[in-house]
Amino acid sequence: MGRLDGKVILLSAAAQGIGRATALAFAKEGAKVIATDINKSKLQELDEYAGIQTRLLDVTSREQIEKLANDIEKVDVLCNIAGFVHHGTILECEDTDWNFTMNLNVRSMYLMIKTFLPKMLAQKSGNIINMSSVASSIKGTVNRCVYSTSKAAVIGLTKSIAADFIEKGIRCNCICPGTVDTPSLQERIQTSPYPERALKDFLARQKMGRMATAEEVAQLFVYLASDESAYMTGNELIIDGGWSL
Ligand code: NAD
């Protein structure tokens, strides 16, 4: 028996990194997974796994989200994972960077929750898990100005949803990783002027001396999606190898 048997779980950013590992972990625990992303070719790789159906979805498009909601009858767990890291202080952050980041990292969650929450309220139960980061209101982080601002907003959004709908059977938590070894992190390292130095810097902030694997973060998603965490809502769960100690 799986810990998520029969649960319908919708998640974004499933084509790679933490989202992909999470989709696979959910399916392994018996969930019916609706895995979405904008990257068609990578997303389709998930089609071969039992329990996973894939669907193209740009989480910044209200129209696409509403269309998906019309096609799905029931969602037990909604995981908002899509996000983007802008590198730089406020002085390197232009209006376009600010708007792009806030749109993808925060407004997308507003749109997804606003669209799928009525279904959860109708079924008198629902579980929302948002992706935040330790680089947020938890820890001041260099060169992550708009990113940290957006991830702090995710914590605020999470607590607000949790407080407003606790009596309606809805819970909402967020996950705050430190540095996780994913394709986009590797790309940030490789495209930096000094890749070796960049890798060393990323490792230096992880007190355990290594990055998290996407699978380790996925296990926290499994726990929050399962009934084992039924008494938890409004929390920001830190999984950061001691970075914020
Ligand atoms: P990633 O950056 O490797 O992949 C992101 C995925 O999001 C890609 O598959 C991409 O196609 C998809 N995506 C991008 N724009 C989209 C859109 N408009 N609609 C739908 N999908 C879209 O992923 P990752 O590094 O695993 O990060 C996933 C989440 O975890 C992000 O929110 C990120 O901020 C957060 N996070 C990552 C780390 C880390 O170190 N990797 C640490 C803390 C938090």
Side-chain angles (χ1 to χ4, degrees):
M1 233 179 73
R3 292 150 82 196
L4 303 173
D5 273 347
K7 285 192 195 297
V8 179
I9 307 186
L10 170 64
L11 77 158
S12 68
Q16 67 176 35
I18 299 166
R20 180 186 159 95
T22 302
L24 292 171
F26 283 161
K28 208 170 161 193
E29 292 291 345
K32 292 177 190 157
V33 182
I34 305 162
T36 71
D37 203 288
I38 45 169
N39 185 334
K40 190 175 180 184
S41 57
K42 283 222 170 105
L43 184 65
Q44 279 174 343
E45 291 171 18
L46 291 174
D47 281 329
E48 68 181 83
Y49 293 92
I52 302 183
Q53 76 177 79
T54 59
R55 177 91 184 230
L56 272 179
L57 176 71
D58 179 344
V59 287
T60 63
S61 162
R62 185 191 292 269
E63 199 189 338
Q64 288 186 29
I65 293 170
E66 285 175 354
K67 193 166 181 306
L68 178 67
N70 281 335
D71 296 344
I72 299 176
E73 206 175 305
K74 177 181 186 240
V75 174
D76 296 306
V77 187
L78 167 65
C79 300
N80 293 308
I81 302 182
F84 171 77
V85 181
H86 174 267
H87 179 92
T89 69
I90 195 166
L91 299 177
E92 286 91 39
C93 181
E94 301 303 330
D95 283 6
T96 47
D97 303 316
W98 182 271
N99 292 337
F100 180 86
T101 301
M102 296 304 279
N103 191 33
L104 177 53
N105 295 11
V106 187
R107 180 175 162 272
S108 69
M109 295 194 188
Y110 153 76
L111 288 176
M112 290 288 278
I113 295 169
K114 200 171 161 69
T115 306
F116 284 97
L117 185 60
K119 283 184 195 291
M120 293 176 165
L121 290 172
Q123 69 206 30
K124 295 189 171 56
S125 76
N127 183 354
I128 300 164
I129 310 168
N130 297 323
M131 179 57 92
S132 181
S133 172
V134 158
S136 58
S137 48
I138 296 169
K139 186 162 176 71
T141 305
V142 295
N143 287 317
R144 289 288 178 269
C145 177
V146 66
Y147 180 75
S148 298
T149 305
S150 72
K151 293 300 188 183
V154 171
I155 295 174
L157 175 69
T158 300
K159 288 181 185 289
S160 157
I161 301 289
D164 281 337
F165 298 100
I166 189 165
E167 282 145 15
K168 307 272 184 203
I170 309 295
R171 56 196 188 96
C172 184
N173 293 287
C174 65
I175 292 180
C176 304
T179 314
V180 188
D181 193 358
T182 63
S184 71
L185 183 93
Q186 286 300 338
E187 199 186 311
R188 285 197 290 286
I189 291 170
Q190 293 314 322
T191 55
S192 72
Y194 305 103
E196 263 178 46
R197 172 78 196 272
L199 173 62
K200 239 175 132 183
D201 287 348
F202 273 123
L203 287 174
R205 66 189 195 182
Q206 297 307 130
K207 292 203 173 88
M208 286 185 184
R210 68 169 180 89
M211 297 175 200
T213 64
E215 288 71 22
E216 285 173 312
V217 181
Q219 285 310 311
L220 194 48
F221 272 95
V222 169
Y223 174 66
L224 284 178
S226 77
D227 294 337
E228 289 163 28
S229 62
Y231 203 56
M232 295 177 68
T233 192
N235 295 289
E236 66 266 40
L237 279 94
I238 296 173
I239 173 163
D240 73 345
W243 183 14
S244 60
L245 271 175

